[in-house]
């Protein structure tokens, strides 16, 4: 296949593609940092968010054939740009070179360079039809093994005596500190996917006790896509994302970021599940069938989920039947006696569907999902949670739309839960000029809107009890200078768990990117967030006080030689707490990345120093990790952190990663004191090994 019809040689072409791919990776890394900060999660599997990029790097999209769905799945182009491209293709025929995109509204050289690693242009169209023989011959298999553990001794790992087992059953971990992950995956183009994976968390048993079958968590699927009228059909584990996330969105999603495009959710519908997160997926069967401009989706899911039982009955055969739970557990850990009791305590059944009409510039969809739990969810009564979902059954239905008119994209969703609670969002993205894009987003979620499987743009985890107006912009001031900014003004009309009264808040963000050459990229970021929290001063009356956090960041990426790249960052944060001591924090991070061209070996080295007054002034910093794994540690207290990662393609079919990271604290002698993870020293070391076989 011909990727570019240009006169420069192939090695220079590949070098350009690699550099553009790194720029996209940097944008993704920044978004992952923001997600981790919101979720307060330092490590997890966010591969469902980045799987599309991983696939399209190896299987670029032919822009002369690509459908709207494929271009949206790329998540690098706005719907305005995609619509203009499809109109241009219909009017003028196929593109001759990729740089012909510059003649289309909304495309400039910077945009073309951004998508270059994932697309190509050719008049040759491969057939969409294939036989089982071709699939088995040309399909690609991948086998991944991962091992990781903390090297220091942690308090929960000891062999208890019989008295401790009886009197303190939750004072120790049941298994060893090793964390294991394995996955086999077969893929034929973007049409057939088969995968099975297993994971054991640290402290969980392995082929004994509660885990006699080996891994604590298994996941798998068989999926086909884009075969005749079948857009997607999955048997096994899958995710479902529709509309703007109000009615049904089971999975992660990018949120507010430096790009105004990210204010819009791009629901991918049904996608097979590859990750090892033990909760954010459905298990059963789901399919989307396409007939011209009409798409129909049906899904059914049945799986056991973790829950904290509070009411039980004893059946005639002596078994315990859970009839009431106080909470649904989402941690996925089963390494103590109490967590084992919560594992799979109840079953969850979900039926749902979506019907949508799609053409080049219009999308209209209707989504519904019905959830049933085998036991009643009964939360501890409190003033703030009286409108939260409780019970065994819930139904949520909604309508969403997206329309492109000239250089404007209007989109929104309206949703209602069974109790009458409503949620609504409306957004617009306007490309006033190739150099200026504006966006606005309004959301209004009732305090009694109840949906455990929604994930909309929001300050809260679930779309509930929130009103907000967001305004964003992206301006290309000069050839090498881009300004991105937004302000999000929100309020919570009802109480929250940490706020004994209605409250307001504001999120202000600005980032200035400067790329003077292909080898230098830098940005300056400012972020100011204001919220309210309960006063920490003892008082007869509870009241809320402002909590203000301001962050400043400078980030530099420089390609020193063809083989060596340096990344530097300095970040400062200031936390203003009205009734407590203010906190400040600072971190300096230096990366050295060595990757020799045409040699399958790379080394990444980081050294960071940090000094914060406490956890409130922590700083989240993205770290390069092994494939399919993500690490965004929160740096707090005073100390240093360093890691070394080696990636070596030993052969074309065998690749390994070795990663070792250590945090050393200058003002701490015991880490995670009082927990089962307590370490009686001032340092913590993490080892991670991964191997991948391709055949």
């Amino acid at each position: 296949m011909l990727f570019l019809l240009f006169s420069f040689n192939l090695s220079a072409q590949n070098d350009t593609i690699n550099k553009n791919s790194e720029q996209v990776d940097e944008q993704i890394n920044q978004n992952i940092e923001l997600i981790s900060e919101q979720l307060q999660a330092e490590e997890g599997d966010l591969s469902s968010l980045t799987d599309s990029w991983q696939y399209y790097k190896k299987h670029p999209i032919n822009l002369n054939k690509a459908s709207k769905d494929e271009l949206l799945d790329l998540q690098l182009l706005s719907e305005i740009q995609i619509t203009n491209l499809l109109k241009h293709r219909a009017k003028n025929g196929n593109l001759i070179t990729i740089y012909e995109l510059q003649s289309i509204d909304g495309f400039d050289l910077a945009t073309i360079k951004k998508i270059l690693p994932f697309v190509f242009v050719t008049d040759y169209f491969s057939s969409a039809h294939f036989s089982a023989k071709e699939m088995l011959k040309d399909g690609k298999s991948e086998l991944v093994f991962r091992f990781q553990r903390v090297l220091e001794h942690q308090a929960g790992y000891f062999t208890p005596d019989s008295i401790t087992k009886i009197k303190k059953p939750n004072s120790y971990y049941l298994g060893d500190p090793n964390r294991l992950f394995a996955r086999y995956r077969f893929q034929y183009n973007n049409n057939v996917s088969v995968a099975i994976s297993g994971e054991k968390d640290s402290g969980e048993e392995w082929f004994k006790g509660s885990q006699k079958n080996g891994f604590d968590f298994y996941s798998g699927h068989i999926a086909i896509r884009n075969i005749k009228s079948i857009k997607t059909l999955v048997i096994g584990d899958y995710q479902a994302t529709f509309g703007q996330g109000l009615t049904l969105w089971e999975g992660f999603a990018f949120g507010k970021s430096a790009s105004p495009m990210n204010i819009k959710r791009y629901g991918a519908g049904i996608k097979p599940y590859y990750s090892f997160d033990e909760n954010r997926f459905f298990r059963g069967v789901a399919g989307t069938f396409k007939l011209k401009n009409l798409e129909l989706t049906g899904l059914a899911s049945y799986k056991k989920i973790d829950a904290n039982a509070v009411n039980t009955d004893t059946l005639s055969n002596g078994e315990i039947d859970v009839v009431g739970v106080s909470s649904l557990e989402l941690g996925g850990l089963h390494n103590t006696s109490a967590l084992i009791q919560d594992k799979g305590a109840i079953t969850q059944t979900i039926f749902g569907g979506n019907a949508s009409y799609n053409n080049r510039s219009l999308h209209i969809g209707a989504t519904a999902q019905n959830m049933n739990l085998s036991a009643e969810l009964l939360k501890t009564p409190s003033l703030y949670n009286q409108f939260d979902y409780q019970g065994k059954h819930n139904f949520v239905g909604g309508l969403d739309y997206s329309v492109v008119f000239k250089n404007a994209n209007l989109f929104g969703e309206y949703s209602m839960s069974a109790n009458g609670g409503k949620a609504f969002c409306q957004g617009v993205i306007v490309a006033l000029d190739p150099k200026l894009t504006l966006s606005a987003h309004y959301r209004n979620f009732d305090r009694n809107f109840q949906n455990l499987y929604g994930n909309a743009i929001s300050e809260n985890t679930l779309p509930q009890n929130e009103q907000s107006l967001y305004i964003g912009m992206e301006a290309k001031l000069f050839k090498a200078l881009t300004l991105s900014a937004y302000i999000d003004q929100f309020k919570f009309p009802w109480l929250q768990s940490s706020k004994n009264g209605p409250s307001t808040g504001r999120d202000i963000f600005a980032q200035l990117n400067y790329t003077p050459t292909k080898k230098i990229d830098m940005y300056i970021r400012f972020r100011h967030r204001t919220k309210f929290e309960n006063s920490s001063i003892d008082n007869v009356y509870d009241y809320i006080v402002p909590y203000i956090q301001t962050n400043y960041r400078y980030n530099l990426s420089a390609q020193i030689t063809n083989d060596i790249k340096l990344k530097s960052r300095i970040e400062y944060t200031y936390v203003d707490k009205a009734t407590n001591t203010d906190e400040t924090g600072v971190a300096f991070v230096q990366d050295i990345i060595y990757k020799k061209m045409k040699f399958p070996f790379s080394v990444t080295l980081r050294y960071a120093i940090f000094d914060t007054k406490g956890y409130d002034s922590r700083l989240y910093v993205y770290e390069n990790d092994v494939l399919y794994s993500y690490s965004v540690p929160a740096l707090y207290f005073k100390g240093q952190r360093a890691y070394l990662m080696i990636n070596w393609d030993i052969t074309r079919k065998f690749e390994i990663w070795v990663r070792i990271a250590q945090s050393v604290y200058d003002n701490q002698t015991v880490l995670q004191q009082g927990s089962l993870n307590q370490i009686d020293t001032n340092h913590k070391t993490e080892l991670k090994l991964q191997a991948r076989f391709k055949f």
Side-chain angles (χ1 to χ4, degrees):
M1 291 185 183
L2 187 62
F3 282 84
L4 291 173
L5 301 177
F6 251 57
S7 59
F8 46 81
N9 61 58
L10 185 60
S11 62
Q13 173 181 328
N14 289 337
D15 183 53
T16 300
I17 290 176
N18 289 334
K19 285 181 170 57
N20 293 330
S21 177
E22 290 173 2
Q23 292 178 2
V24 174
D25 289 342
E26 177 61 30
Q27 295 176 14
I28 296 169
N29 297 347
Q30 292 180 41
N31 290 338
I32 289 175
E33 278 182 336
L34 293 171
I35 291 176
S36 298
E37 187 173 346
Q38 183 176 11
L39 297 175
Q40 297 186 21
E42 299 183 27
E43 187 177 36
D45 188 352
L46 299 173
S47 56
S48 60
L49 289 174
T50 59
D51 187 66
S52 293
W53 287 298
Q54 295 290 347
Y55 176 80
Y56 291 125
K57 278 183 183 179
K58 299 177 183 177
H59 308 87
I61 298 173
N62 180 4
L63 290 180
N64 283 334
K65 185 186 177 184
S67 66
K68 181 179 178 180
D69 288 335
E70 287 179 307
L71 295 170
L72 285 173
D73 193 34
L74 195 56
Q75 300 180 68
L76 295 174
L77 297 173
S78 70
E79 200 156 343
I80 298 171
Q81 292 169 317
I82 293 171
T83 300
N84 290 341
L85 169 60
L86 296 178
K87 286 181 178 179
H88 176 90
R89 208 170 67 186
K91 181 179 179 181
N92 302 298
N94 292 335
L95 302 173
I96 299 175
T97 79
I98 194 171
Y99 288 94
E100 189 182 334
L101 289 172
Q102 292 181 88
S103 65
I104 302 175
D105 287 345
F107 287 86
D108 58 8
L109 191 58
T111 301
I112 295 171
K113 288 180 178 179
K114 181 172 66 175
I115 66 173
L116 191 59
F118 311 98
V119 300
F120 71 102
V121 167
T122 184
D123 287 331
Y124 171 74
F125 297 160
S126 59
S127 173
H129 302 285
F130 59 89
S131 65
K133 183 178 179 180
E134 289 175 328
M135 180 185 70
L136 295 174
K137 177 184 176 182
D138 299 330
K140 306 297 181 183
S141 290
E142 175 185 270
L143 192 58
V144 176
F145 296 101
R146 185 187 307 152
F147 165 91
Q148 65 185 92
R149 68 174 290 168
V150 174
L151 298 185
E152 289 82 2
H153 175 73
Q154 296 172 284
Y157 296 103
F158 67 91
T159 303
D161 54 37
S162 56
I163 296 177
T164 301
K165 287 183 177 181
I166 296 173
K167 292 187 175 182
K168 298 181 179 180
N170 296 301
S171 65
Y172 62 94
Y173 287 131
L174 299 173
D176 60 53
N178 299 329
R179 186 176 184 184
L180 306 174
F181 169 74
R183 182 175 71 195
Y184 167 77
R185 178 177 177 180
F186 171 86
Q187 188 152 358
Y188 175 71
N189 294 332
N190 204 20
N191 301 109
V192 178
S193 171
V194 179
I196 183 169
S197 61
E199 190 223 15
K200 168 199 174 301
D201 287 307
S202 301
E204 293 178 343
E205 293 177 289
W206 174 250
F207 282 108
K208 65 178 183 178
S210 61
Q211 313 298 344
K212 290 184 173 61
N213 295 321
F215 291 110
D216 169 73
F217 172 69
Y218 286 95
S219 177
H221 70 260
I222 299 173
I224 59 175
R225 298 182 64 185
N226 302 318
I227 299 178
K228 296 184 179 180
S229 62
I230 300 175
K231 181 180 179 181
T232 306
L233 179 62
V234 182
I235 299 174
D237 295 344
Y238 60 91
Q239 291 184 316
T241 57
F242 295 98
Q244 297 304 304
L246 291 182
T247 308
L248 182 57
W249 193 290
E250 180 66 328
F252 289 112
F254 291 129
K256 295 182 292 183
S257 73
S259 173
M261 288 196 310
N262 283 347
I263 202 66
K264 179 182 179 181
R265 290 276 194 263
Y266 291 92
I270 303 299
K271 293 188 71 172
Y273 186 67
Y274 299 101
S275 304
F276 60 80
D277 184 292
E278 299 184 26
N279 294 284
R280 292 176 175 86
F281 69 93
F282 292 139
R283 174 166 290 173
V285 61
T288 299
F289 302 89
K290 189 172 184 177
L291 182 62
K292 294 184 178 180
N293 293 331
L294 183 65
E295 291 184 6
L296 298 175
T297 298
L299 63 90
S301 173
Y302 176 87
K303 68 174 185 177
K304 292 185 176 182
I305 59 176
D306 298 352
N308 184 17
V310 290
N311 292 330
T312 59
D313 280 341
T314 302
L315 302 178
S316 56
N317 60 3
E319 293 183 358
I320 302 299
D321 181 34
V322 177
V323 296
V325 297
S326 61
S327 63
L328 306 180
E329 304 295 336
L330 301 177
L333 291 175
H334 308 111
N335 51 15
T336 66
S337 295
L339 292 174
I340 289 294
Q341 291 177 1
D342 293 345
K343 181 182 178 181
I346 62 174
T347 58
Q348 168 212 73
T349 305
I350 291 179
F351 294 98
N354 172 271
S356 65
Y357 173 84
N358 305 276
N359 64 24
R360 196 163 54 198
S361 58
L362 175 65
H363 160 85
I364 300 175
T367 308
Q369 54 107 340
N370 186 76
M371 180 197 72
N372 291 279
L373 302 176
S374 62
E376 193 167 8
L377 178 60
L378 302 167
K379 293 188 175 182
T380 303
S382 178
L383 188 61
Y384 82 88
N385 69 7
Q386 62 178 292
F387 298 106
D388 291 357
Y389 170 75
Q390 299 190 67
K392 295 178 64 174
H393 313 288
N394 193 30
F395 176 85
V396 184
L399 300 172
D400 70 277
Y401 85 99
S402 176
V403 60
V404 175
F405 179 72
K406 294 185 177 180
N407 288 329
N409 179 200
L410 282 78
F411 56 93
E413 183 171 9
Y414 174 86
S415 188
M416 179 181 292
S417 52
N419 66 334
K422 298 178 287 295
F424 170 76
C425 68
Q426 172 63 53
V428 60
I429 299 174
V430 183
L432 296 180
D433 182 87
K435 297 183 178 180
L436 178 62
T437 301
L438 300 179
S439 61
H441 188 271
Y442 172 75
R443 56 186 185 268
N444 191 333
F445 310 148
D446 287 355
R447 61 186 181 182
N448 64 332
F449 178 68
Q450 299 175 348
N451 185 6
L452 300 181
Y453 302 100
N455 185 3
I457 295 291
S458 173
E459 284 292 312
N460 293 321
T461 304
L462 296 175
Q464 181 184 20
N465 182 36
E466 186 174 341
Q467 298 174 9
S468 170
L469 178 62
Y470 165 104
I471 298 175
M473 62 159 284
E474 182 176 88
K476 298 173 183 177
L477 305 178
F478 301 102
K479 181 179 179 180
L481 198 64
T482 302
L483 174 65
S484 302
Y486 70 75
I487 179 170
D488 188 24
Q489 181 74 41
F490 49 86
K491 69 176 181 178
F492 309 112
W494 188 246
L495 286 62
Q496 295 177 288
S497 60
S498 60
K499 303 176 183 68
N500 292 326
S503 62
T504 61
R506 183 183 297 113
D507 184 2
I508 301 173
F509 180 101
Q511 181 167 307
L512 188 65
N513 283 74
Y514 180 53
T515 310
T517 69
K518 293 181 180 179
K519 296 185 176 182
I520 297 177
D521 183 28
M522 67 182 76
Y523 68 84
I524 301 173
R525 175 185 292 180
F526 166 81
R527 192 176 188 189
H528 180 84
R529 285 167 287 179
T530 303
K531 289 187 177 182
F532 283 79
E533 62 177 11
N534 290 336
S535 170
S536 58
I537 298 178
D538 292 335
N539 202 299
V540 176
Y541 301 101
D542 290 328
Y543 61 95
I544 58 175
V545 295
Y547 179 96
I548 303 171
Q549 183 172 357
T550 306
N551 286 69
Y552 303 89
R553 176 189 296 181
Y554 172 72
N555 195 91
L556 169 66
S557 177
Q559 191 78 39
I560 304 301
T561 69
N562 288 334
D563 304 330
I564 299 176
K565 186 173 188 177
L566 300 181
K567 291 184 177 181
S568 306
R569 174 184 296 184
I570 185 168
E571 185 160 2
Y572 172 82
T573 184
Y574 175 73
V575 180
D576 182 359
K577 298 186 285 188
T579 59
N580 209 332
T581 305
D582 295 346
E583 289 190 12
T584 60
V586 64
F588 173 76
V589 182
Q590 180 62 59
D591 289 352
I592 302 176
I593 303 170
Y594 174 80
K595 185 175 183 180
K596 191 171 181 62
M597 298 300 295
K598 299 182 181 179
F599 188 73
F601 184 85
S602 66
V603 178
T604 303
L605 177 66
R606 166 172 292 182
Y607 176 71
I609 56 176
F610 53 92
D611 186 0
T612 79
K613 299 304 179 184
Y615 185 72
D616 285 345
S617 52
R618 65 193 180 277
L619 297 165
Y620 287 88
V621 183
Y622 179 90
E623 295 183 347
N624 288 335
D625 209 327
V626 303
L627 187 65
Y628 309 128
S629 184
Y630 297 88
S631 176
V632 190
L635 305 181
Y636 55 95
F637 297 137
K638 182 179 181 180
Q640 306 96 45
R641 180 171 172 84
Y643 74 83
L644 170 69
M645 186 174 73
I646 297 172
N647 176 211
W648 185 13
D649 289 359
I650 297 177
T651 70
R652 294 182 62 184
K653 296 184 177 182
F654 179 47
E655 184 177 10
I656 64 169
W657 288 261
V658 178
R659 187 181 191 273
I660 186 164
Q662 185 178 67
S663 297
V664 180
Y665 297 88
D666 299 339
N667 58 352
Q668 304 292 311
T669 57
V670 178
L671 306 182
Q672 296 177 275
Q673 190 168 8
S675 72
L676 296 186
N677 293 325
Q678 178 175 315
I679 299 173
D680 294 328
T681 184
N682 71 330
H683 55 80
K684 179 180 179 181
T685 310
E686 307 141 68
L687 175 67
K688 189 176 294 186
L689 307 174
Q690 179 165 295
R692 178 169 69 155
F693 301 86
K694 295 180 286 185
F695 51 95

